[in-house]
Amino acid sequence: MVKLAEGLMPTVVYWGRDLGPDGEAIAAQIAFTSEPAVMNSSLDSPRRVSVFPGEEEGWSGTPGAAWRNEGLIATAPFEVMEATLIGSSALRIRLRDGCGVELKMNYSIDDHGVLSARATIANVSLDSDRVVEVAALRLLLPLPQRAEEIVDLTGRWTSERRPQRTAVTDGTHLRAVRRGRPGHDSPFLTMVGTKGFTFGEGEIWAAHVAWSGNQEYLVERLPEGVGVLASLFGGSELLLPGEVRLRAGESYESPDVLFTWSDCGIDGISYRLHSYVRDLHSYPSTPRPLVLNTWEAVYFDHDIDRLRALARAAEAVGVERFVLDDGWFKDRRDDTAGLGDWYVDEGLWPDGLNTLSDTVHAAGMQFGLWFEPEMVNLDSDVAREHSDWLLSPLGDNALPWRHQFVLNLSNPEAWSYLLDRIDTLVETLRIDFIKWDHNRDLHQAIDRVSGRPAVRAHTRAVYRLMDVLRARHPALEIESCASGGARIDLGMMSHAQRVWPSDSNDPIDRQDIQRWTGVLLPPEVIGTHIGPATAHTTHRTSSLSFRLITALFGHAGIEWDITGCSEQELEQLKAWASLYKRERPLLHSGRTWRSEVNDGSSLHGVVAPDQSRGLFAWVRTQTSAVAHTERVRVPGLCPLHDYSIRLHDEFDNAALHQVSGPEWMGAAGTDRGAVYSGTFLTDVGIPLPLLNPSQALLFSFSKIAAAPPETIEPAIGSASTSMKESHPA
Ligand code: GLA
């Protein structure tokens, strides 16, 4: 809710639960009570902190914007030129200072309760010599005092999305990303909520910067508060010194910063964000094909016979998309050479790569190919011939990372070269899918021609290149990979159809990585692959059933040399492949629910929008400290429906740490005809087996259509257990 008053900067006075049928009256009361007291040793008027906080309104914290307008006062007061509400879902603001700077802010809220905020700063000076250097343009919203804990993410290669929880304290909780990509330690989503908020409980306000370059998130509290609220939070692109210099007539537009709110825990936040992603124009429109990716199967060993055998094995288990990873292009025998030379290696592929892509297509599978368009090895023709295309300062001192450097895609020649090469290959090989990798941080990302930092220009050029390729090849899909999950954000999701969340296929790591990547993204855009029994990145060994169940909850695939699998393993893979195809309509459209991890075990699953079915994994990653099976609540089912429960038997079931039972469950694959009320399942819960570590079981819950024969009455009263949820006002 925004307070608009003639000539005054708009101020957000409330956001959270929908105010219901009495909304208008309550809104009036909020507006009427929104002025704080005048305090001692403070401003002489009530403190107002607008959507664009700054010193000119007495705000001593991080400002909404910072710029340098040479020779003029940067923080001149703004005149409100326009503040227009468009219906009840959008707000447009236009401000102007006395020194030729204009600022526009656009807010719009979608049907799912996700608010998109974007700002533009323009140099509208009549003096053509005047340059405005922009340092920051932030989108910030106020938070109430009960938003007292912050959860955001961090991580490293093969261990992305580790949550960290801190208290909101006086000062600034700042996450500044200077990697030229969000990074393995991307803050990802800043959630600020009531004390102890969990997946299922608590009130949470969340912010996400939809941008794939440098960025900043902050939560800030000053002792004097924010009007009658407590703190501010939000984010922005992080601009490097000198990166954005506006000449007269030029403007800078921020990326979208998304805000949303839930009163039913993190799952409520995810529900809104998943709906937002599912509405994006770039969201894939076809069922997510089962993938085989060659990386951990063959690495750089691109032997045509070996790859053909792998493709045949993939076809036999039901794979629908075969992706040839790194190693196919000129002189690429390892990671020290070839990056940048996007020509099929004639030594490896004397008869062309069509020999493989045609085999794959003839088998009825899609063909995918790995690229790392933004990178270059110095040992490549491109680097030798076009050193001015490198995104690094002149000289030889730049630091290599995985033996590679960055190509400056904001250089029109470099951009056109890449477009031409990728476009030609997509055309001639009939490529259906690009795995678009990005294997290093951007350091000293200086445009060699202008001498200025160019992370922003480079990032925008990447988006443009993806868009032009997809415009030319509308069925083409792109996956964002960056040494695993170092470039996952909703800016990228406006251009790509899939992300690779981690180079770790170890199912123990994957349980956490997928759980937390899934806070932002729905499962169908998150790549989840089965690797071999012993994971390549951790050398930990785990059972096939655990790996299969873990990889089911995403855009599933295989990354394993399955030509070496036993008959039994292949049978299991086949059963899993058909289960995936059968269940993907549910898994890829439903609502994600997660329990907390308790003593090493957790329950997570997806429930259909009409709550008629749910598919849940009961997972144990660590040895149990307790010696019994307990009741576990099943979230997301409808309290008004009755359900049957089935333990899946498509693959060898998990090793149990118990003699048998629990008794209600019966044998895997059987339906004992028992019926359980939704209230019983969501409120009371069922005892589940005590698993050994690194084990999982898969359960389906299906709504019983007619009057149940043998209803088990809930042990508690009939109070509704539906998760409370209202739209933010
Ligand atoms: C990165 C990716 C991997 C693989 C290799 C190839 O590490 O994350 O999946 O594609 O590059 O070099």
Side-chain angles (χ1 to χ4, degrees), residues 295 325-326 370 402 435 437 439 481 483-484 500 503:
W295 179 240
D325 211 287
D326 193 359
W370 184 93
R402 207 193 186 207
K435 177 175 176 181
D437 216 332
N439 283 315
C481 170
S483 307
W500 183 233
D503 276 350

Side-chain angles (χ1 to χ4, degrees), residues 317 544 548 560 564-576 650-653:
V317 298
L544 183 53
L548 291 168
W560 180 13
C565 282
S566 68
E567 275 309 308
Q568 199 197 3
E569 284 173 327
L570 290 172
E571 282 315 308
Q572 299 241 330
L573 280 172
K574 278 185 205 159
W576 170 81
E650 277 82 358
F651 15 79
D652 279 348
N653 266 313

Side-chain angles (χ1 to χ4, degrees), residues 17 151 165 191 193-204 261-271 515-516 519 591-597 602-604 616 633-636 682-683 721-726:
R17 180 173 296 120
V151 171
R165 188 180 285 260
M191 292 178 277
T194 46
K195 201 172 175 81
F197 67 86
T198 63
F199 278 97
E201 283 173 0
E203 195 176 1
I204 303 170
W261 166 91
S262 154
D263 63 354
C264 56
I266 300 173
D267 283 346
I269 293 286
S270 298
Y271 178 55
R515 160 180 286 250
W516 287 98
V519 163
R591 180 166 174 170
T592 296
W593 295 91
R594 295 155 284 218
S595 75
E596 291 305 298
V597 179
S602 61
L603 185 78
H604 70 86
F616 279 85
R633 290 172 170 191
V634 185
T682 55
D683 259 20
T721 55
S722 67
M723 295 291 164
K724 266 193 262 98
E725 181 184 282
S726 0

